[in-house]
């Protein structure tokens, strides 16, 4: 069975997310007893035999060609990120996961984010744990502090549902981001523990996880509702930190000249963010003098 059945599980989950009407099939929904599309319907849409598709979904054939995968992606209406994920699952080979147990943020990165007074900057590790943040980030959202997991906090902190105007969509995408990592980092016990904690703490997390959506975050716009300065429309960027084991820099920023820019300047100067540099300091030797807590705050 390919990659512990992840290819088969992904195909089944994506099939169950589609309705016949989504792919142009006219059927009487009232007499259907299956969730989503039938296997034979996917096979017809992809131009392959039902028997072959059945073997794929049962994990008995783990080496489909690129042409077959592209046909399945079209049949299942996968977007480019999900299509790339499908190809990755089909070619996945088990390998030891190299984990950096320290996840030390480079001192120069800390200096950099502290130099941005009106740009919120957060350093995450590959599990979306906050490793460091600047004063603007903590003024914008107190959960942007070291030791908090940014995915779990969406489900365990009621304030997040108020802060993020489109909270449910963000929560779903965040779980999809974890799924993308989980399907390509087999054997990562820390990731497995994180998923287990999410599924145990939130029914909605379990629902999103079962959908097996995948997502790769990049850039866009978020609408936020801050308790001090009110509604904000901020751009965001997630930038990988080269030379680390999956660390990334997440930025929130306002378009110059907008009410949101004025609100961010007000927030930066109202004293709620604490002193610049509270993210935790690193000695010249590169060893943290106050390490982030690894227990997530709930």
């Amino acid at each position: 069975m390919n990659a512990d059945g992840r290819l088969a599980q992904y195909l089944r989950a994506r099939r169950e997310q589609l309705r016949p009407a989504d792919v142009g099939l006219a059927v009487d929904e009232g007499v259907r007893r299956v969730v989503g599309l039938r296997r034979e319907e996917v096979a017809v849409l992809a131009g392959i035999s039902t028997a072959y598709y059945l073997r794929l979904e049962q994990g008995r054939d783990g080496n489909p060609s690129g042409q077959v995968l592209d046909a399945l992606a079209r049949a299942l209406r996968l977007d480019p990120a999900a299509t790339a994920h499908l190809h990755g699952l089909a070619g996945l080979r088990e390998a030891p996961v190299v984990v950096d147990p320290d996840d030390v943020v480079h001192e120069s990165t800390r200096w950099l984010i502290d130099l941005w007074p009106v740009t919120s900057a957060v350093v995450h590790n590959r599990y979306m744990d906050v490793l460091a943040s600047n004063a603007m980030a903590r003024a914008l959202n107190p959960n942007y502090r070291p030791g908090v997991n940014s995915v779990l906090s969406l489900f365990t902190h009621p304030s997040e549902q108020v802060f993020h105007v489109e909270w449910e969509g963000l929560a779903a995408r965040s779980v999809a981001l974890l799924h993308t990592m989980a399907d390509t980092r087999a054997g990562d016990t820390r990731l497995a523990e994180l998923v287990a904690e999410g599924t145990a703490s939130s029914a909605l997390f379990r629902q999103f996880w079962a959908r097996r959506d995948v997502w790769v975050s990049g850039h866009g716009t978020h609408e936020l509702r801050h308790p001090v300065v009110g509604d904000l429309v901020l751009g965001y960027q997630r930038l990988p930190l080269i030379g680390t084991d999956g660390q990334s820099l997440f930025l929130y920023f306002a378009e110059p000249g907008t009410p949101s820019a004025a609100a961010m300047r007000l927030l930066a100067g109202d004293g709620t963010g604490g002193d610049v540099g509270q993210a935790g300091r690193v000695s010249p030797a590169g060893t943290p003098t106050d390490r982030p807590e690894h227990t997530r705050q709930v």
Side-chain angles (χ1 to χ4, degrees):
M1 182 177 289
N2 176 266
D4 294 333
R6 286 188 291 275
L7 173 61
Q9 293 166 7
Y10 187 63
L11 287 172
R12 183 166 57 252
R14 302 322 303 166
R15 174 174 61 80
E16 291 176 351
Q17 293 299 314
L18 288 174
R19 298 174 302 172
D22 296 330
V23 296
L25 296 178
V27 298
D28 185 354
E29 295 280 0
V31 299
R32 293 177 68 88
R33 296 182 179 179
V34 298
V35 177
L37 295 180
R38 293 190 174 98
R39 294 186 179 92
E40 56 267 29
E41 291 169 338
V42 175
V44 169
L45 290 167
I48 61 179
S49 72
T50 301
Y52 180 49
Y53 179 75
L54 180 60
R55 292 201 303 274
L56 288 173
E57 199 172 287
Q58 290 180 339
R60 293 187 288 115
D61 188 325
N63 296 288
S65 68
Q67 183 178 5
V68 167
L69 292 172
D70 287 337
L72 287 170
R74 290 190 295 271
L76 295 169
R77 301 301 193 264
L78 302 185
D79 62 21
T83 299
H85 187 69
L86 178 67
H87 279 262
L89 289 177
L92 191 63
R93 295 293 181 268
E94 295 296 336
V97 175
V98 179
V99 176
D100 175 5
D102 297 322
D103 254 335
V104 175
V105 178
H106 196 276
E107 187 175 26
S108 62
T109 302
R110 296 177 183 271
W111 291 341
L112 176 65
I113 65 176
D114 282 345
L115 288 172
W116 294 332
V118 293
T119 296
S120 167
V122 179
V123 180
H124 288 113
N125 63 10
R126 61 199 165 278
Y127 309 112
M128 297 301 294
D129 297 321
V130 176
L131 300 180
S133 60
N134 65 3
M136 184 72 248
R138 297 187 298 277
L140 187 64
N141 186 342
N143 285 329
Y144 293 152
R145 67 184 186 276
V148 174
N149 181 272
S150 288
V151 176
L152 290 186
S153 69
L154 287 171
F155 296 90
T156 58
H157 287 259
S159 62
E160 295 284 2
Q161 298 189 30
V162 178
F163 180 66
H164 299 281
V165 175
E166 297 292 338
W167 172 82
E168 187 167 334
L170 175 63
R173 292 192 298 274
S174 298
V175 173
L177 179 63
L178 283 185
H179 230 310
T180 304
M181 290 189 291
D183 278 346
T184 56
R185 294 183 70 99
D188 191 326
T189 56
R190 168 71 180 88
L191 184 57
E193 292 169 355
L194 180 62
V195 172
E197 184 171 346
T199 55
S201 62
S202 169
L204 195 56
F205 185 104
R206 292 194 296 274
Q207 177 184 326
F208 290 151
W209 186 258
R211 286 166 45 173
R212 303 189 71 87
D213 290 335
V214 295
W215 184 61
V216 178
S217 61
H219 59 86
T221 302
H222 280 170
E223 295 183 35
L224 308 174
R225 184 163 294 127
H226 194 275
V228 175
V229 297
D231 291 349
L232 297 165
V233 178
L234 300 180
Y236 70 87
Q237 288 270 359
R238 183 173 298 282
L239 307 173
L241 293 176
I242 306 302
T244 68
D245 185 15
Q247 290 181 12
S248 62
L249 181 60
F250 182 78
L251 307 175
Y252 267 136
F253 48 88
E255 180 181 349
T258 62
S260 293
M264 291 287 275
R265 290 195 301 273
L266 176 64
L267 190 59
D270 74 357
T272 63
D275 296 330
V276 170
Q278 283 183 353
R281 286 297 170 197
V282 177
S283 70
T287 303
T289 56
D290 57 303
R291 299 187 55 79
E293 55 183 304
H294 290 291
T295 302
R296 289 171 293 281
Q297 306 299 309
V298 294

